[in-house]
Amino acid sequence: MQAAWRSGDAGRRVRDKHGMTSPATIAAANALEQGKALTPRYDANGLIAAVTTHAETGEVLMLAWMNAEALAKTLSTGEAHYFSRSRNELWHKGATSGQVQVIEEMRIDCDQDAVWLKVWPQGDGGACHTGQRSCFYRVIEGGKLAMRP
Amino acid sequence: MQAAWRSGDAGRRVRDKHGMTSPATIAAANALEQGKALTPRYDANGLIAAVTTHAETGEVLMLAWMNAEALAKTLSTGEAHYFSRSRNELWHKGATSGQVQVIEEMRIDCDQDAVWLKVWPQGDGGACHTGQRSCFYRVIEGGKLAMRP
């Protein structure tokens, strides 16, 4: 891992993100990207992106948002909690629909502004309010959308 | 699909999103979620989230952002383009690192504020500037992060 930090690509990224390459900047990036501490970088609205895949099939089921409370609840309960931007409130996925998502594994990305949840969908096994299994039920082809399992 | 819209879950979502359930509101949601028109719903910064998976393994490689230009370039070139929030510019993934992402398939979600790219990573086959194959190289366990392939 250290080798990667000495590569041209890593150096470029440190400059990109922070505008400078001082030892302190590099140390901070190292801690963020290589450390053991969970330090999510929430955006101006206090949110990070969460991508959720099916633990068995790997299919991307949905993309949603978490605030610190949603992340903490997900970790403490083992069930996916998000922050609903439309309702502006904590959202225990499946609380009303039955489509509870039991966490198999949870990952965070290099700069800690996105998480990846591998889940076991409960209830009818779906994740989308439209009735589809995944929210990504349409492909983009020739500038148009087409339904595709 | 229409059946889903008449279900309690769909009706609830229409109210959640729009605060009302008039025929016009339902028609608008129907067009967005069931129509063939690509009408991305960019956020206040002009961005939508993009989750990128490996076309063969299904592994989530990264989560990034697209503006309208990045989306158009991705569709016209068949290679992933994103919008770099740190550099505030269009970002042709792999232009400098060689980690070009050739698009296998591109999907959009129910409310058209997120896209899913299935890609064939070129160059060294990786996607992360740290040298890891995926940006999600750490699992969250017991409140700490652990490296895990």
Side-chain angles (χ1 to χ4, degrees):
Chain A
M1 296 308 311
Q2 290 301 318
W5 271 104
R6 295 192 193 98
S7 77
D9 196 47
R12 191 165 56 246
R13 172 61 171 272
V14 171
R15 283 194 293 277
D16 289 346
K17 281 268 175 185
H18 305 282
M20 55 187 292
T21 52
S22 73
T25 300
I26 293 171
N30 244 326
L32 182 70
E33 302 192 348
Q34 309 298 337
K36 294 187 181 349
L38 175 62
T39 54
R41 291 172 57 240
Y42 299 102
D43 68 12
N45 297 312
L47 303 176
I48 55 173
V51 53
T52 303
T53 63
H54 192 292
E56 188 165 38
T57 68
E59 182 177 28
V60 176
L61 298 174
M62 55 188 283
L63 192 140
W65 304 88
M66 285 186 177
N67 61 0
E69 183 184 12
L71 183 59
K73 285 270 189 186
T74 300
L75 291 171
S76 66
T77 66
E79 295 181 354
H81 289 67
Y82 304 101
F83 182 80
S84 169
R85 296 186 299 175
S86 54
R87 297 192 301 271
N88 201 40
E89 64 181 20
L90 185 72
W91 166 30
H92 178 198
K93 174 71 179 172
T96 52
S97 69
Q99 295 176 333
V100 167
Q101 297 177 335
V102 175
I103 306 292
E104 169 71 21
E105 184 184 83
M106 198 161 160
R107 291 175 173 258
I108 197 160
D109 74 344
C110 45
D111 56 359
Q112 300 204 31
D113 65 358
V115 290
W116 171 14
L117 286 66
K118 299 180 186 178
V119 306
W120 297 100
Q122 306 297 301
D124 65 5
C128 185
H129 73 284
T130 62
Q132 299 279 349
R133 188 179 64 234
S134 160
C135 293
F136 293 88
Y137 48 83
R138 288 174 296 184
V139 297
I140 307 176
E141 284 177 342
K144 292 285 187 183
L145 307 183
M147 295 273 185
R148 196 74 51 80
Chain B
M1 298 309 310
Q2 289 301 316
W5 272 103
R6 296 194 193 98
S7 78
D9 196 46
R12 191 164 57 244
R13 170 61 172 272
V14 170
R15 282 194 294 276
D16 289 345
K17 280 268 177 188
H18 304 282
M20 55 188 290
T21 52
S22 72
T25 300
I26 293 171
N30 244 325
L32 182 70
E33 302 192 349
Q34 310 299 337
K36 294 187 182 348
L38 175 62
T39 55
R41 290 172 57 242
Y42 299 102
D43 68 12
N45 298 312
L47 303 176
I48 54 174
V51 53
T52 303
T53 63
H54 192 292
E56 187 164 38
T57 68
E59 182 178 28
V60 176
L61 299 174
M62 55 187 284
L63 192 139
W65 304 88
M66 285 186 179
N67 62 0
E69 184 185 10
L71 183 60
K73 284 270 191 188
T74 300
L75 292 172
S76 65
T77 65
E79 295 181 355
H81 289 67
Y82 304 102
F83 182 80
S84 168
R85 296 185 300 175
S86 55
R87 297 193 301 272
N88 200 43
E89 64 181 21
L90 185 71
W91 166 31
H92 179 198
K93 173 71 178 170
T96 52
S97 68
Q99 295 175 334
V100 167
Q101 297 176 334
V102 175
I103 306 292
E104 168 72 20
E105 184 185 83
M106 198 161 162
R107 290 176 173 258
I108 196 160
D109 75 343
C110 47
D111 56 0
Q112 300 202 32
D113 65 358
V115 290
W116 171 13
L117 284 66
K118 300 181 185 176
V119 306
W120 298 99
Q122 305 298 302
D124 65 5
C128 185
H129 73 285
T130 62
Q132 299 279 350
R133 190 178 62 234
S134 160
C135 293
F136 293 88
Y137 49 84
R138 289 174 296 185
V139 297
I140 307 175
E141 285 177 342
K144 292 282 187 185
L145 306 184
M147 295 273 185
R148 195 75 52 79

Short mmCIF file of all heavy atoms in Angstrom, two decimals, chain A residues 55-113:
data_model
loop_
_atom_site.label_atom_id
_atom_site.label_comp_id
_atom_site.label_asym_id
_atom_site.label_seq_id
_atom_site.Cartn_x
_atom_site.Cartn_y
_atom_site.Cartn_z
N ALA A 55 -26.49 -9.56 -1.64
CA ALA A 55 -25.35 -10.32 -1.12
C ALA A 55 -25.05 -11.56 -1.95
O ALA A 55 -23.90 -12.00 -2.03
CB ALA A 55 -25.60 -10.71 0.33
N GLU A 56 -26.08 -12.13 -2.57
CA GLU A 56 -25.87 -13.36 -3.32
C GLU A 56 -25.60 -13.10 -4.80
O GLU A 56 -24.66 -13.64 -5.37
CB GLU A 56 -27.08 -14.28 -3.18
CG GLU A 56 -26.86 -15.66 -3.77
CD GLU A 56 -27.90 -16.66 -3.30
OE1 GLU A 56 -29.08 -16.26 -3.17
OE2 GLU A 56 -27.54 -17.83 -3.07
N THR A 57 -26.42 -12.27 -5.41
CA THR A 57 -26.31 -12.09 -6.87
C THR A 57 -25.36 -10.96 -7.24
O THR A 57 -24.90 -10.90 -8.38
CB THR A 57 -27.68 -11.75 -7.48
OG1 THR A 57 -28.10 -10.45 -7.03
CG2 THR A 57 -28.72 -12.78 -7.07
N GLY A 58 -25.11 -10.05 -6.32
CA GLY A 58 -24.24 -8.92 -6.63
C GLY A 58 -24.95 -7.80 -7.36
O GLY A 58 -24.34 -6.75 -7.62
N GLU A 59 -26.20 -8.00 -7.70
CA GLU A 59 -26.94 -6.96 -8.42
C GLU A 59 -27.01 -5.68 -7.60
O GLU A 59 -27.23 -5.71 -6.39
CB GLU A 59 -28.36 -7.47 -8.69
CG GLU A 59 -29.23 -6.50 -9.47
CD GLU A 59 -30.61 -7.08 -9.76
OE1 GLU A 59 -31.09 -7.93 -8.96
OE2 GLU A 59 -31.21 -6.71 -10.77
N VAL A 60 -26.83 -4.53 -8.27
CA VAL A 60 -27.02 -3.26 -7.58
C VAL A 60 -28.52 -3.06 -7.40
O VAL A 60 -29.28 -3.03 -8.37
CB VAL A 60 -26.41 -2.09 -8.37
CG1 VAL A 60 -26.71 -0.77 -7.67
CG2 VAL A 60 -24.90 -2.27 -8.50
N LEU A 61 -28.94 -2.94 -6.17
CA LEU A 61 -30.37 -2.82 -5.86
C LEU A 61 -30.82 -1.37 -5.82
O LEU A 61 -31.90 -1.03 -6.28
CB LEU A 61 -30.67 -3.49 -4.52
CG LEU A 61 -30.38 -5.00 -4.45
CD1 LEU A 61 -30.59 -5.51 -3.03
CD2 LEU A 61 -31.29 -5.76 -5.42
N MET A 62 -30.01 -0.52 -5.22
CA MET A 62 -30.42 0.87 -5.05
C MET A 62 -29.21 1.73 -4.70
O MET A 62 -28.17 1.23 -4.32
CB MET A 62 -31.48 1.00 -3.95
CG MET A 62 -31.04 0.41 -2.62
SD MET A 62 -32.37 0.35 -1.38
CE MET A 62 -32.42 2.08 -0.86
N LEU A 63 -29.41 3.02 -4.85
CA LEU A 63 -28.42 3.98 -4.38
C LEU A 63 -29.16 4.99 -3.51
O LEU A 63 -30.18 5.55 -3.91
CB LEU A 63 -27.73 4.68 -5.54
CG LEU A 63 -26.50 5.48 -5.08
CD1 LEU A 63 -25.37 5.34 -6.06
CD2 LEU A 63 -26.81 6.92 -4.80
N ALA A 64 -28.68 5.15 -2.28
CA ALA A 64 -29.39 6.04 -1.35
C ALA A 64 -28.37 6.82 -0.54
O ALA A 64 -27.19 6.88 -0.90
CB ALA A 64 -30.30 5.22 -0.45
N TRP A 65 -28.80 7.41 0.55
CA TRP A 65 -27.96 8.32 1.32
C TRP A 65 -28.02 7.97 2.78
O TRP A 65 -29.00 7.47 3.29
CB TRP A 65 -28.45 9.76 1.10
CG TRP A 65 -28.44 10.08 -0.35
CD1 TRP A 65 -29.46 9.87 -1.24
CD2 TRP A 65 -27.33 10.56 -1.11
NE1 TRP A 65 -29.05 10.20 -2.50
CE2 TRP A 65 -27.76 10.64 -2.46
CE3 TRP A 65 -26.03 10.94 -0.79
CZ2 TRP A 65 -26.92 11.07 -3.47
CZ3 TRP A 65 -25.20 11.38 -1.80
CH2 TRP A 65 -25.65 11.45 -3.12
N MET A 66 -26.93 8.26 3.46
CA MET A 66 -26.88 8.05 4.91
C MET A 66 -26.35 9.31 5.58
O MET A 66 -25.39 9.92 5.07
CB MET A 66 -25.93 6.91 5.26
CG MET A 66 -26.46 5.54 4.98
SD MET A 66 -25.27 4.31 5.63
CE MET A 66 -26.17 2.79 5.25
N ASN A 67 -26.95 9.66 6.70
CA ASN A 67 -26.32 10.64 7.58
C ASN A 67 -25.65 9.85 8.72
O ASN A 67 -25.66 8.61 8.71
CB ASN A 67 -27.33 11.67 8.09
CG ASN A 67 -28.44 11.03 8.91
OD1 ASN A 67 -28.45 9.81 9.10
ND2 ASN A 67 -29.37 11.85 9.39
N ALA A 68 -25.07 10.53 9.65
CA ALA A 68 -24.33 9.83 10.71
C ALA A 68 -25.24 8.91 11.50
O ALA A 68 -24.86 7.80 11.88
CB ALA A 68 -23.66 10.85 11.63
N GLU A 69 -26.48 9.36 11.74
CA GLU A 69 -27.42 8.54 12.50
C GLU A 69 -27.78 7.26 11.74
O GLU A 69 -27.83 6.16 12.33
CB GLU A 69 -28.70 9.34 12.80
CG GLU A 69 -29.69 8.57 13.65
CD GLU A 69 -31.00 9.33 13.87
OE1 GLU A 69 -31.23 10.35 13.18
OE2 GLU A 69 -31.81 8.87 14.71
N ALA A 70 -28.02 7.39 10.44
CA ALA A 70 -28.36 6.22 9.63
C ALA A 70 -27.20 5.22 9.60
O ALA A 70 -27.41 4.01 9.71
CB ALA A 70 -28.71 6.66 8.21
N LEU A 71 -26.00 5.73 9.49
CA LEU A 71 -24.82 4.85 9.49
C LEU A 71 -24.70 4.13 10.83
O LEU A 71 -24.48 2.91 10.88
CB LEU A 71 -23.57 5.67 9.20
CG LEU A 71 -22.24 4.92 9.09
CD1 LEU A 71 -22.29 3.88 7.98
CD2 LEU A 71 -21.09 5.89 8.85
N ALA A 72 -24.88 4.87 11.91
CA ALA A 72 -24.77 4.27 13.24
C ALA A 72 -25.85 3.22 13.46
O ALA A 72 -25.57 2.13 14.00
CB ALA A 72 -24.85 5.36 14.31
N LYS A 73 -27.07 3.52 13.05
CA LYS A 73 -28.18 2.58 13.22
C LYS A 73 -27.95 1.32 12.38
O LYS A 73 -28.28 0.21 12.82
CB LYS A 73 -29.50 3.23 12.78
CG LYS A 73 -30.05 4.24 13.76
CD LYS A 73 -30.97 3.56 14.77
CE LYS A 73 -31.69 4.60 15.61
NZ LYS A 73 -32.48 3.95 16.68
N THR A 74 -27.42 1.51 11.19
CA THR A 74 -27.14 0.35 10.33
C THR A 74 -26.11 -0.56 11.00
O THR A 74 -26.28 -1.78 11.04
CB THR A 74 -26.62 0.82 8.95
OG1 THR A 74 -27.63 1.63 8.34
CG2 THR A 74 -26.30 -0.36 8.05
N LEU A 75 -25.09 0.05 11.55
CA LEU A 75 -24.04 -0.74 12.20
C LEU A 75 -24.55 -1.40 13.49
O LEU A 75 -24.19 -2.53 13.79
CB LEU A 75 -22.83 0.16 12.50
CG LEU A 75 -22.06 0.63 11.27
CD1 LEU A 75 -21.02 1.68 11.65
CD2 LEU A 75 -21.40 -0.55 10.56
N SER A 76 -25.39 -0.69 14.23
CA SER A 76 -25.83 -1.24 15.53
C SER A 76 -26.92 -2.28 15.38
O SER A 76 -27.02 -3.19 16.20
CB SER A 76 -26.28 -0.11 16.46
OG SER A 76 -27.45 0.52 15.96
N THR A 77 -27.75 -2.17 14.34
CA THR A 77 -28.88 -3.08 14.19
C THR A 77 -28.63 -4.21 13.20
O THR A 77 -29.33 -5.22 13.22
CB THR A 77 -30.15 -2.34 13.73
OG1 THR A 77 -29.92 -1.84 12.40
CG2 THR A 77 -30.49 -1.20 14.67
N GLY A 78 -27.68 -3.99 12.28
CA GLY A 78 -27.46 -4.99 11.23
C GLY A 78 -28.51 -4.93 10.14
O GLY A 78 -28.60 -5.84 9.31
N GLU A 79 -29.31 -3.86 10.13
CA GLU A 79 -30.30 -3.65 9.08
C GLU A 79 -30.09 -2.26 8.48
O GLU A 79 -29.79 -1.30 9.20
CB GLU A 79 -31.72 -3.76 9.65
CG GLU A 79 -32.05 -5.16 10.14
CD GLU A 79 -33.46 -5.32 10.70
OE1 GLU A 79 -34.17 -4.29 10.81
OE2 GLU A 79 -33.84 -6.46 11.01
N ALA A 80 -30.27 -2.17 7.16
CA ALA A 80 -29.97 -0.91 6.47
C ALA A 80 -30.90 0.22 6.89
O ALA A 80 -32.12 0.07 6.87
CB ALA A 80 -30.05 -1.11 4.97
N HIS A 81 -30.29 1.31 7.29
CA HIS A 81 -30.99 2.57 7.54
C HIS A 81 -30.40 3.61 6.60
O HIS A 81 -29.19 3.67 6.40
CB HIS A 81 -30.80 3.03 8.98
CG HIS A 81 -31.53 2.20 9.99
ND1 HIS A 81 -31.21 0.87 10.26
CD2 HIS A 81 -32.57 2.50 10.81
CE1 HIS A 81 -32.03 0.40 11.20
NE2 HIS A 81 -32.86 1.37 11.56
N TYR A 82 -31.26 4.43 6.04
CA TYR A 82 -30.82 5.51 5.16
C TYR A 82 -31.38 6.82 5.68
O TYR A 82 -32.13 6.86 6.67
CB TYR A 82 -31.29 5.25 3.72
CG TYR A 82 -30.86 3.92 3.15
CD1 TYR A 82 -31.74 2.84 3.10
CD2 TYR A 82 -29.57 3.74 2.67
CE1 TYR A 82 -31.35 1.61 2.58
CE2 TYR A 82 -29.17 2.51 2.14
CZ TYR A 82 -30.07 1.45 2.10
OH TYR A 82 -29.66 0.24 1.59
N PHE A 83 -31.01 7.90 4.99
CA PHE A 83 -31.64 9.18 5.28
C PHE A 83 -32.45 9.55 4.05
O PHE A 83 -31.92 9.64 2.93
CB PHE A 83 -30.59 10.27 5.55
CG PHE A 83 -31.22 11.59 5.89
CD1 PHE A 83 -31.71 11.83 7.17
CD2 PHE A 83 -31.38 12.57 4.92
CE1 PHE A 83 -32.31 13.04 7.48
CE2 PHE A 83 -31.98 13.79 5.23
CZ PHE A 83 -32.45 14.02 6.51
N SER A 84 -33.75 9.73 4.24
CA SER A 84 -34.62 10.08 3.13
C SER A 84 -34.52 11.58 2.86
O SER A 84 -34.92 12.39 3.69
CB SER A 84 -36.07 9.70 3.44
OG SER A 84 -36.92 10.29 2.47
N ARG A 85 -33.98 11.92 1.69
CA ARG A 85 -33.87 13.34 1.35
C ARG A 85 -35.23 13.95 1.07
O ARG A 85 -35.45 15.13 1.32
CB ARG A 85 -32.95 13.51 0.13
CG ARG A 85 -31.52 13.06 0.41
CD ARG A 85 -30.61 13.37 -0.76
NE ARG A 85 -31.05 12.68 -1.97
CZ ARG A 85 -30.50 12.84 -3.17
NH1 ARG A 85 -29.48 13.67 -3.32
NH2 ARG A 85 -30.92 12.16 -4.21
N SER A 86 -36.16 13.15 0.55
CA SER A 86 -37.48 13.70 0.25
C SER A 86 -38.30 13.91 1.52
O SER A 86 -39.01 14.90 1.65
CB SER A 86 -38.24 12.78 -0.73
OG SER A 86 -38.30 11.46 -0.23
N ARG A 87 -38.15 13.00 2.45
CA ARG A 87 -38.92 13.15 3.70
C ARG A 87 -38.10 13.84 4.78
O ARG A 87 -38.62 14.17 5.85
CB ARG A 87 -39.38 11.77 4.20
CG ARG A 87 -40.33 11.06 3.26
CD ARG A 87 -40.99 9.85 3.93
NE ARG A 87 -40.02 8.86 4.39
CZ ARG A 87 -39.57 7.87 3.63
NH1 ARG A 87 -39.98 7.72 2.39
NH2 ARG A 87 -38.69 7.00 4.10
N ASN A 88 -36.81 13.99 4.53
CA ASN A 88 -35.91 14.65 5.48
C ASN A 88 -35.93 13.96 6.84
O ASN A 88 -36.03 14.60 7.90
CB ASN A 88 -36.30 16.13 5.64
CG ASN A 88 -35.15 16.96 6.20
OD1 ASN A 88 -33.99 16.77 5.82
ND2 ASN A 88 -35.45 17.86 7.11
N GLU A 89 -35.82 12.63 6.80
CA GLU A 89 -35.86 11.88 8.06
C GLU A 89 -35.14 10.55 7.92
O GLU A 89 -34.92 10.06 6.81
CB GLU A 89 -37.31 11.65 8.50
CG GLU A 89 -38.11 10.78 7.55
CD GLU A 89 -39.55 10.58 7.98
OE1 GLU A 89 -40.04 11.39 8.78
OE2 GLU A 89 -40.17 9.61 7.51
N LEU A 90 -34.78 10.00 9.07
CA LEU A 90 -34.19 8.67 9.11
C LEU A 90 -35.17 7.68 8.51
O LEU A 90 -36.38 7.77 8.74
CB LEU A 90 -33.88 8.28 10.56
CG LEU A 90 -33.15 6.95 10.76
CD1 LEU A 90 -31.69 7.04 10.31
CD2 LEU A 90 -33.23 6.51 12.21
N TRP A 91 -34.64 6.72 7.77
CA TRP A 91 -35.47 5.79 7.01
C TRP A 91 -34.96 4.38 7.25
O TRP A 91 -33.90 4.03 6.77
CB TRP A 91 -35.42 6.20 5.54
CG TRP A 91 -35.93 5.23 4.53
CD1 TRP A 91 -36.92 4.29 4.68
CD2 TRP A 91 -35.48 5.09 3.17
NE1 TRP A 91 -37.11 3.61 3.51
CE2 TRP A 91 -36.25 4.08 2.56
CE3 TRP A 91 -34.52 5.76 2.40
CZ2 TRP A 91 -36.07 3.70 1.23
CZ3 TRP A 91 -34.34 5.37 1.07
CH2 TRP A 91 -35.12 4.36 0.50
N HIS A 92 -35.71 3.63 8.03
CA HIS A 92 -35.40 2.21 8.25
C HIS A 92 -36.00 1.45 7.07
O HIS A 92 -37.21 1.20 7.04
CB HIS A 92 -35.97 1.72 9.58
CG HIS A 92 -35.72 0.26 9.83
ND1 HIS A 92 -36.42 -0.47 10.77
CD2 HIS A 92 -34.83 -0.61 9.28
CE1 HIS A 92 -35.99 -1.72 10.77
NE2 HIS A 92 -35.03 -1.83 9.88
N LYS A 93 -35.16 1.09 6.14
CA LYS A 93 -35.64 0.44 4.91
C LYS A 93 -36.45 -0.81 5.25
O LYS A 93 -35.96 -1.68 5.99
CB LYS A 93 -34.44 0.05 4.04
CG LYS A 93 -34.77 -0.77 2.80
CD LYS A 93 -35.48 0.03 1.75
CE LYS A 93 -35.77 -0.82 0.51
NZ LYS A 93 -36.64 -0.12 -0.45
N GLY A 94 -37.66 -0.87 4.73
CA GLY A 94 -38.50 -2.04 4.94
C GLY A 94 -39.43 -1.95 6.12
O GLY A 94 -40.25 -2.84 6.34
N ALA A 95 -39.32 -0.88 6.89
CA ALA A 95 -40.16 -0.76 8.09
C ALA A 95 -41.64 -0.82 7.73
O ALA A 95 -42.44 -1.40 8.47
CB ALA A 95 -39.84 0.54 8.83
N THR A 96 -42.00 -0.25 6.59
CA THR A 96 -43.41 -0.33 6.17
C THR A 96 -43.61 -1.34 5.04
O THR A 96 -44.64 -2.00 4.98
CB THR A 96 -43.92 1.06 5.70
OG1 THR A 96 -43.02 1.59 4.73
CG2 THR A 96 -44.00 2.02 6.87
N SER A 97 -42.63 -1.48 4.15
CA SER A 97 -42.80 -2.36 2.99
C SER A 97 -42.45 -3.81 3.28
O SER A 97 -42.80 -4.71 2.51
CB SER A 97 -41.91 -1.88 1.84
OG SER A 97 -40.54 -2.07 2.15
N GLY A 98 -41.73 -4.04 4.37
CA GLY A 98 -41.26 -5.39 4.67
C GLY A 98 -39.93 -5.72 3.99
O GLY A 98 -39.32 -6.75 4.26
N GLN A 99 -39.46 -4.81 3.13
CA GLN A 99 -38.22 -5.06 2.39
C GLN A 99 -36.99 -4.68 3.22
O GLN A 99 -36.09 -3.96 2.75
CB GLN A 99 -38.23 -4.30 1.06
CG GLN A 99 -39.31 -4.78 0.10
CD GLN A 99 -39.39 -3.98 -1.19
OE1 GLN A 99 -39.03 -2.81 -1.21
NE2 GLN A 99 -39.88 -4.59 -2.24
N VAL A 100 -36.97 -5.21 4.44
CA VAL A 100 -35.82 -4.99 5.33
C VAL A 100 -34.57 -5.56 4.67
O VAL A 100 -34.63 -6.59 3.99
CB VAL A 100 -36.08 -5.67 6.70
CG1 VAL A 100 -34.81 -5.76 7.52
CG2 VAL A 100 -37.18 -4.94 7.45
N GLN A 101 -33.45 -4.88 4.85
CA GLN A 101 -32.19 -5.33 4.25
C GLN A 101 -31.22 -5.72 5.37
O GLN A 101 -30.69 -4.86 6.07
CB GLN A 101 -31.59 -4.21 3.39
CG GLN A 101 -32.50 -3.85 2.21
CD GLN A 101 -31.98 -2.70 1.38
OE1 GLN A 101 -31.23 -1.85 1.89
NE2 GLN A 101 -32.39 -2.64 0.13
N VAL A 102 -31.00 -7.03 5.50
CA VAL A 102 -30.07 -7.54 6.51
C VAL A 102 -28.66 -7.44 5.95
O VAL A 102 -28.38 -7.94 4.85
CB VAL A 102 -30.43 -8.98 6.88
CG1 VAL A 102 -29.37 -9.56 7.84
CG2 VAL A 102 -31.81 -9.05 7.50
N ILE A 103 -27.79 -6.81 6.72
CA ILE A 103 -26.44 -6.54 6.25
C ILE A 103 -25.57 -7.80 6.30
O ILE A 103 -25.45 -8.44 7.34
CB ILE A 103 -25.76 -5.46 7.13
CG1 ILE A 103 -26.62 -4.20 7.21
CG2 ILE A 103 -24.36 -5.14 6.61
CD1 ILE A 103 -26.76 -3.43 5.94
N GLU A 104 -24.96 -8.10 5.16
CA GLU A 104 -23.97 -9.18 5.11
C GLU A 104 -22.58 -8.60 5.35
O GLU A 104 -21.77 -9.16 6.09
CB GLU A 104 -24.01 -9.86 3.74
CG GLU A 104 -22.88 -10.82 3.45
CD GLU A 104 -22.96 -12.11 4.24
OE1 GLU A 104 -24.08 -12.42 4.71
OE2 GLU A 104 -21.93 -12.79 4.41
N GLU A 105 -22.33 -7.48 4.72
CA GLU A 105 -21.02 -6.83 4.82
C GLU A 105 -21.18 -5.36 4.46
O GLU A 105 -22.03 -5.00 3.67
CB GLU A 105 -20.03 -7.49 3.86
CG GLU A 105 -18.61 -6.97 3.95
CD GLU A 105 -17.69 -7.58 2.90
OE1 GLU A 105 -17.68 -7.09 1.76
OE2 GLU A 105 -16.99 -8.55 3.22
N MET A 106 -20.34 -4.54 5.06
CA MET A 106 -20.39 -3.12 4.77
C MET A 106 -18.96 -2.65 4.54
O MET A 106 -18.06 -2.95 5.31
CB MET A 106 -21.00 -2.39 5.97
CG MET A 106 -21.49 -1.02 5.65
SD MET A 106 -22.66 -0.51 6.94
CE MET A 106 -22.60 1.26 6.66
N ARG A 107 -18.77 -1.91 3.45
CA ARG A 107 -17.45 -1.40 3.08
C ARG A 107 -17.49 0.11 2.93
O ARG A 107 -18.56 0.69 2.75
CB ARG A 107 -16.98 -2.03 1.76
CG ARG A 107 -16.65 -3.50 1.88
CD ARG A 107 -16.30 -4.14 0.54
NE ARG A 107 -15.84 -5.50 0.72
CZ ARG A 107 -14.55 -5.87 0.69
NH1 ARG A 107 -13.60 -4.98 0.43
NH2 ARG A 107 -14.20 -7.12 0.90
N ILE A 108 -16.34 0.73 2.98
CA ILE A 108 -16.24 2.16 2.75
C ILE A 108 -15.13 2.40 1.74
O ILE A 108 -14.20 1.60 1.64
CB ILE A 108 -15.99 2.93 4.07
CG1 ILE A 108 -16.29 4.43 3.89
CG2 ILE A 108 -14.57 2.69 4.59
CD1 ILE A 108 -16.55 5.17 5.20
N ASP A 109 -15.26 3.48 0.96
CA ASP A 109 -14.30 3.67 -0.12
C ASP A 109 -13.07 4.45 0.34
O ASP A 109 -12.95 4.85 1.51
CB ASP A 109 -14.97 4.29 -1.35
CG ASP A 109 -15.30 5.76 -1.17
OD1 ASP A 109 -15.29 6.23 -0.01
OD2 ASP A 109 -15.57 6.44 -2.17
N CYS A 110 -12.16 4.63 -0.59
CA CYS A 110 -10.83 5.16 -0.28
C CYS A 110 -10.89 6.48 0.49
O CYS A 110 -10.19 6.63 1.50
CB CYS A 110 -10.01 5.33 -1.56
SG CYS A 110 -10.90 6.09 -2.94
N ASP A 111 -11.69 7.41 0.02
CA ASP A 111 -11.71 8.71 0.71
C ASP A 111 -12.92 8.85 1.65
O ASP A 111 -13.24 9.96 2.09
CB ASP A 111 -11.60 9.87 -0.27
CG ASP A 111 -12.68 9.85 -1.33
OD1 ASP A 111 -13.50 8.91 -1.32
OD2 ASP A 111 -12.70 10.77 -2.16
N GLN A 112 -13.54 7.71 1.97
CA GLN A 112 -14.57 7.63 3.01
C GLN A 112 -15.74 8.59 2.78
O GLN A 112 -16.26 9.19 3.73
CB GLN A 112 -13.96 7.84 4.41
CG GLN A 112 -12.90 6.79 4.73
CD GLN A 112 -12.68 6.57 6.22
OE1 GLN A 112 -13.60 6.71 7.03
NE2 GLN A 112 -11.47 6.22 6.61
N ASP A 113 -16.17 8.71 1.51
CA ASP A 113 -17.40 9.47 1.28
C ASP A 113 -18.48 8.63 0.61
O ASP A 113 -19.46 9.17 0.09
CB ASP A 113 -17.13 10.77 0.51
CG ASP A 113 -16.63 10.52 -0.90
OD1 ASP A 113 -16.44 9.35 -1.29
OD2 ASP A 113 -16.42 11.51 -1.63
#
